Amino acid sequence: MSNTLRHAKITPHRSAARGHNNHGWLDTYHSFSFADWYNPNFTHFGSLRVLNEDRVKANSGFPTHPHRDFEIFSYILSGELTHTDSTHKKGDANESELFCKVRRGDIQFTTAGTGVTHSEFNYGRDPVHFLQIWAIPWKRGLPPRYSWGKYSDDDKRKGFVSLLSPLKGGKDATAEQEKAAEPTIPGTIAIHADFVMAAGIIEPGNKFEWTVGGKGTEATKRKVYVHFPMTKGGKARIRLDGREDVLVEGDGAFVDGVNAGDKLVVESVGDAEAEVVVLDTE
């Protein structure tokens, strides 16, 4: 099989190598060391620090808790998750930065910065399945901010859709740029890191191409983590860069030694469409 990234090192991160805890209300898998699970081989990858694949039962969730100095985002695979900041006025059902409901394909984003206190709860009848991801920001003590975005499956079936990209102004962003929260890639949510997140849904037999750096990052030497969520009961499979290793649902892959502008080909080789998440970092 031909490959276009012969200079790149691609290392599968098998689902069985992840940390796993089932708390009853929460069934969670950790791609990187988290909570009571620690593996020195999986502490971070570039600015990517946490990638948890969570399922939360109906009428359950994470009660009010604090965070600081991380960029934290939830990508919904199925179900509905309600995000509420502790300063939200109880009883106000209008969606805002402080209170929002995110559903299939949506993303909720938090810059924890100097500190936030919030909850994430499943008030629905069905479990919610989502990815919770943390990235290390380029500096500490940032002003806290919330945002959320809605992205259609139809667009993701046409190619990778960028969801997050760096804040314009970068590390030296002015107060005005912080307030405007304009991303380098239009239509995405701004993140305080040289980092792009994208998602695609690939039909069996089809291939998508990810342009490393997403045409919106700064550093030319990059790393890409590919995560393959468990959404199709094991029927979906993918292959990266035409290589022999086949990834099954729950697997990930470390793509190292790549440069901005390189093309990473993701091929769906299973019996069901494959939802693939790309996390592109310096």
Side-chain angles (χ1 to χ4, degrees), residues 77-94:
L77 297 164
S78 65
E80 178 182 283
L81 188 69
T82 298
H83 171 267
T84 309
D85 182 80
S86 60
T87 61
H88 173 69
K89 185 178 179 181
K90 191 174 181 179
D92 183 358
N94 294 316

Side-chain angles (χ1 to χ4, degrees), residues 18 35 62 84 89 97 166 190 241 261-262 265 274:
R18 296 187 292 177
F62 301 91
T84 309
K89 185 178 179 181
E97 290 186 352
D241 191 43
D262 284 348
V265 175

Side-chain angles (χ1 to χ4, degrees), residues 67-144:
H67 288 290
R68 64 181 301 128
D69 289 323
F70 274 106
E71 307 287 278
I72 301 171
F73 34 107
S74 298
Y75 178 68
I76 311 301
L77 297 164
S78 65
E80 178 182 283
L81 188 69
T82 298
H83 171 267
T84 309
D85 182 80
S86 60
T87 61
H88 173 69
K89 185 178 179 181
K90 191 174 181 179
D92 183 358
N94 294 316
E95 289 194 288
S96 67
E97 290 186 352
L98 302 179
F99 173 80
C100 67
K101 296 181 180 182
V102 281
R103 303 171 180 87
R104 161 77 203 156
D106 298 345
I107 189 166
Q108 190 279 326
F109 179 86
T110 301
T111 290
T114 54
V116 298
T117 306
H118 70 168
S119 65
E120 296 150 301
F121 209 85
N122 177 13
Y123 293 105
R125 296 180 179 180
D126 300 315
V128 59
H129 180 198
F130 66 104
L131 304 179
Q132 183 168 120
I133 306 168
W134 298 13
I136 303 167
W138 44 50
K139 60 183 177 181
R140 299 167 66 89
L142 292 163

Side-chain angles (χ1 to χ4, degrees), residues 144-156:
R145 175 172 59 87
Y146 293 118
S147 187
W148 80 99
K150 299 181 180 296
Y151 302 92
S152 78
D153 284 356
D154 287 344
D155 288 339
K156 292 173 194 166

Side-chain angles (χ1 to χ4, degrees), residues 9-22:
K9 181 180 180 181
I10 301 180
T11 307
H13 183 10
R14 298 299 183 185
S15 181
R18 296 187 292 177
H20 179 227
N21 279 295
N22 192 332

Side-chain angles (χ1 to χ4, degrees), residues 8 17 26 35 45 55 67 76 94 96 101 108 115 117 141 168 170 176 192 203 216-217 231 234 243 245 259 262 268:
L26 167 67
F45 191 58
R55 284 183 172 86
H67 288 290
I76 311 301
N94 294 316
S96 67
K101 296 181 180 182
Q108 190 279 326
T117 306
K168 276 193 175 180
E176 289 77 13
H192 296 90
E203 292 290 335
T217 53
T231 61
R243 303 195 183 191
D245 288 316
N259 303 301
D262 284 348
S268 177

